PDB file of all heavy atoms in Angstrom:
ATOM      1  N   THR A 139      52.480  96.116 -76.296  1.00 98.00           N
ATOM      2  CA  THR A 139      53.477  96.778 -77.157  1.00 98.00           C
ATOM      3  C   THR A 139      52.919  98.100 -77.682  1.00 98.00           C
ATOM      4  O   THR A 139      53.603  99.139 -77.614  1.00 98.00           O
ATOM      5  CB  THR A 139      53.851  95.850 -78.336  1.00 98.00           C
ATOM      6  OG1 THR A 139      54.239  94.578 -77.829  1.00 98.00           O
ATOM      7  CG2 THR A 139      54.990  96.429 -79.149  1.00 98.00           C
ATOM      8  N   ILE A 140      51.708  98.070 -78.187  1.00 98.00           N
ATOM      9  CA  ILE A 140      51.122  99.299 -78.751  1.00 98.00           C
ATOM     10  C   ILE A 140      50.971 100.355 -77.657  1.00 98.00           C
ATOM     11  O   ILE A 140      51.340 101.519 -77.830  1.00 98.00           O
ATOM     12  CB  ILE A 140      49.753  98.999 -79.411  1.00 98.00           C
ATOM     13  CG1 ILE A 140      49.922  98.085 -80.624  1.00 98.00           C
ATOM     14  CG2 ILE A 140      49.046 100.303 -79.814  1.00 98.00           C
ATOM     15  CD1 ILE A 140      48.621  97.537 -81.205  1.00 98.00           C
ATOM     16  N   ARG A 141      50.456  99.931 -76.488  1.00 98.00           N
ATOM     17  CA  ARG A 141      50.251 100.901 -75.405  1.00 98.00           C
ATOM     18  C   ARG A 141      51.584 101.461 -74.915  1.00 98.00           C
ATOM     19  O   ARG A 141      51.696 102.655 -74.627  1.00 98.00           O
ATOM     20  CB  ARG A 141      49.479 100.259 -74.248  1.00 98.00           C
ATOM     21  CG  ARG A 141      48.820 101.268 -73.339  1.00 98.00           C
ATOM     22  CD  ARG A 141      48.125 100.637 -72.143  1.00 98.00           C
ATOM     23  NE  ARG A 141      49.069 100.208 -71.123  1.00 98.00           N
ATOM     24  CZ  ARG A 141      48.746  99.930 -69.860  1.00 98.00           C
ATOM     25  NH1 ARG A 141      47.467 100.014 -69.482  1.00 98.00           N
ATOM     26  NH2 ARG A 141      49.646  99.561 -68.990  1.00 98.00           N
ATOM     27  N   SER A 142      52.604 100.620 -74.853  1.00 97.00           N
ATOM     28  CA  SER A 142      53.922 101.096 -74.388  1.00 97.00           C
ATOM     29  C   SER A 142      54.542 102.061 -75.391  1.00 97.00           C
ATOM     30  O   SER A 142      55.174 103.056 -75.004  1.00 97.00           O
ATOM     31  CB  SER A 142      54.869  99.913 -74.177  1.00 97.00           C
ATOM     32  OG  SER A 142      54.353  99.050 -73.212  1.00 97.00           O
ATOM     33  N   LEU A 143      54.370 101.794 -76.694  1.00 97.00           N
ATOM     34  CA  LEU A 143      55.018 102.624 -77.717  1.00 97.00           C
ATOM     35  C   LEU A 143      54.232 103.887 -78.026  1.00 97.00           C
ATOM     36  O   LEU A 143      54.816 104.950 -78.248  1.00 97.00           O
ATOM     37  CB  LEU A 143      55.203 101.814 -79.010  1.00 97.00           C
ATOM     38  CG  LEU A 143      56.117 100.593 -78.934  1.00 97.00           C
ATOM     39  CD1 LEU A 143      56.079  99.817 -80.236  1.00 97.00           C
ATOM     40  CD2 LEU A 143      57.553 101.012 -78.619  1.00 97.00           C
ATOM     41  N   LYS A 144      52.906 103.763 -78.076  1.00 98.00           N
ATOM     42  CA  LYS A 144      52.075 104.904 -78.498  1.00 98.00           C
ATOM     43  C   LYS A 144      51.404 105.605 -77.315  1.00 98.00           C
ATOM     44  O   LYS A 144      50.811 106.674 -77.482  1.00 98.00           O
ATOM     45  CB  LYS A 144      50.986 104.449 -79.485  1.00 98.00           C
ATOM     46  CG  LYS A 144      51.497 103.809 -80.758  1.00 98.00           C
ATOM     47  CD  LYS A 144      52.313 104.745 -81.632  1.00 98.00           C
ATOM     48  CE  LYS A 144      51.498 105.820 -82.303  1.00 98.00           C
ATOM     49  NZ  LYS A 144      52.361 106.664 -83.186  1.00 98.00           N
ATOM     50  N   GLY A 145      51.430 104.976 -76.141  1.00 97.00           N
ATOM     51  CA  GLY A 145      50.841 105.591 -74.953  1.00 97.00           C
ATOM     52  C   GLY A 145      49.329 105.471 -74.886  1.00 97.00           C
ATOM     53  O   GLY A 145      48.699 106.054 -74.003  1.00 97.00           O
ATOM     54  N   ARG A 146      48.726 104.740 -75.815  1.00 98.00           N
ATOM     55  CA  ARG A 146      47.262 104.622 -75.819  1.00 98.00           C
ATOM     56  C   ARG A 146      46.846 103.424 -76.663  1.00 98.00           C
ATOM     57  O   ARG A 146      47.635 102.907 -77.458  1.00 98.00           O
ATOM     58  CB  ARG A 146      46.614 105.891 -76.398  1.00 98.00           C
ATOM     59  CG  ARG A 146      46.944 106.127 -77.864  1.00 98.00           C
ATOM     60  CD  ARG A 146      46.406 107.466 -78.357  1.00 98.00           C
ATOM     61  NE  ARG A 146      46.480 107.579 -79.804  1.00 98.00           N
ATOM     62  CZ  ARG A 146      47.559 107.920 -80.500  1.00 98.00           C
ATOM     63  NH1 ARG A 146      48.692 108.188 -79.864  1.00 98.00           N
ATOM     64  NH2 ARG A 146      47.513 108.004 -81.821  1.00 98.00           N
ATOM     65  N   LEU A 147      45.580 103.035 -76.471  1.00 98.00           N
ATOM     66  CA  LEU A 147      45.009 101.971 -77.307  1.00 98.00           C
ATOM     67  C   LEU A 147      43.798 102.483 -78.079  1.00 98.00           C
ATOM     68  O   LEU A 147      43.053 101.689 -78.647  1.00 98.00           O
ATOM     69  CB  LEU A 147      44.605 100.769 -76.436  1.00 98.00           C
ATOM     70  CG  LEU A 147      45.769  99.930 -75.879  1.00 98.00           C
ATOM     71  CD1 LEU A 147      45.266  98.896 -74.882  1.00 98.00           C
ATOM     72  CD2 LEU A 147      46.543  99.257 -77.003  1.00 98.00           C
ATOM     73  N   ASP A 148      43.592 103.784 -78.064  1.00 98.00           N
ATOM     74  CA  ASP A 148      42.465 104.331 -78.826  1.00 98.00           C
ATOM     75  C   ASP A 148      42.981 105.354 -79.851  1.00 98.00           C
ATOM     76  O   ASP A 148      44.158 105.712 -79.851  1.00 98.00           O
ATOM     77  CB  ASP A 148      41.422 104.970 -77.881  1.00 98.00           C
ATOM     78  CG  ASP A 148      42.041 105.998 -76.960  1.00 98.00           C
ATOM     79  OD1 ASP A 148      43.224 106.358 -77.154  1.00 98.00           O
ATOM     80  OD2 ASP A 148      41.364 106.448 -76.027  1.00 98.00           O
ATOM     81  N   ASN A 149      42.066 105.750 -80.753  1.00 98.00           N
ATOM     82  CA  ASN A 149      42.392 106.749 -81.767  1.00 98.00           C
ATOM     83  C   ASN A 149      43.684 106.407 -82.535  1.00 98.00           C
ATOM     84  O   ASN A 149      44.634 107.201 -82.573  1.00 98.00           O
ATOM     85  CB  ASN A 149      42.486 108.142 -81.118  1.00 98.00           C
ATOM     86  CG  ASN A 149      41.150 108.539 -80.520  1.00 98.00           C
ATOM     87  OD1 ASN A 149      40.116 108.477 -81.194  1.00 98.00           O
ATOM     88  ND2 ASN A 149      41.137 108.882 -79.250  1.00 98.00           N
ATOM     89  N   LEU A 150      43.669 105.240 -83.105  1.00 98.00           N
ATOM     90  CA  LEU A 150      44.820 104.765 -83.888  1.00 98.00           C
ATOM     91  C   LEU A 150      44.347 104.204 -85.222  1.00 98.00           C
ATOM     92  O   LEU A 150      43.281 103.577 -85.294  1.00 98.00           O
ATOM     93  CB  LEU A 150      45.549 103.644 -83.137  1.00 98.00           C
ATOM     94  CG  LEU A 150      46.276 104.018 -81.847  1.00 98.00           C
ATOM     95  CD1 LEU A 150      46.646 102.759 -81.060  1.00 98.00           C
ATOM     96  CD2 LEU A 150      47.537 104.841 -82.137  1.00 98.00           C
ATOM     97  N   THR A 151      45.157 104.427 -86.253  1.00 98.00           N
ATOM     98  CA  THR A 151      44.919 103.766 -87.544  1.00 98.00           C
ATOM     99  C   THR A 151      45.913 102.612 -87.658  1.00 98.00           C
ATOM    100  O   THR A 151      47.128 102.830 -87.648  1.00 98.00           O
ATOM    101  CB  THR A 151      45.086 104.764 -88.707  1.00 98.00           C
ATOM    102  OG1 THR A 151      44.098 105.784 -88.564  1.00 98.00           O
ATOM    103  CG2 THR A 151      44.896 104.076 -90.058  1.00 98.00           C
ATOM    104  N   ILE A 152      45.354 101.411 -87.702  1.00 98.00           N
ATOM    105  CA  ILE A 152      46.171 100.202 -87.650  1.00 98.00           C
ATOM    106  C   ILE A 152      46.127  99.518 -89.016  1.00 98.00           C
ATOM    107  O   ILE A 152      45.051  99.150 -89.496  1.00 98.00           O
ATOM    108  CB  ILE A 152      45.615  99.207 -86.608  1.00 98.00           C
ATOM    109  CG1 ILE A 152      45.287  99.917 -85.294  1.00 98.00           C
ATOM    110  CG2 ILE A 152      46.532  97.993 -86.460  1.00 98.00           C
ATOM    111  CD1 ILE A 152      46.242  99.766 -84.186  1.00 98.00           C
ATOM    112  N   GLY A 153      47.282  99.338 -89.629  1.00 98.00           N
ATOM    113  CA  GLY A 153      47.367  98.575 -90.880  1.00 98.00           C
ATOM    114  C   GLY A 153      47.706  97.129 -90.564  1.00 98.00           C
ATOM    115  O   GLY A 153      48.643  96.861 -89.809  1.00 98.00           O
TER     116      GLY A 153
END
Side-chain angles (χ1 to χ4, degrees):
T139 307
I140 295 170
R141 200 184 76 163
S142 299
L143 297 174
K144 300 296 289 182
R146 65 186 191 278
L147 288 172
D148 54 9
N149 298 309
L150 292 166
T151 297
I152 314 258

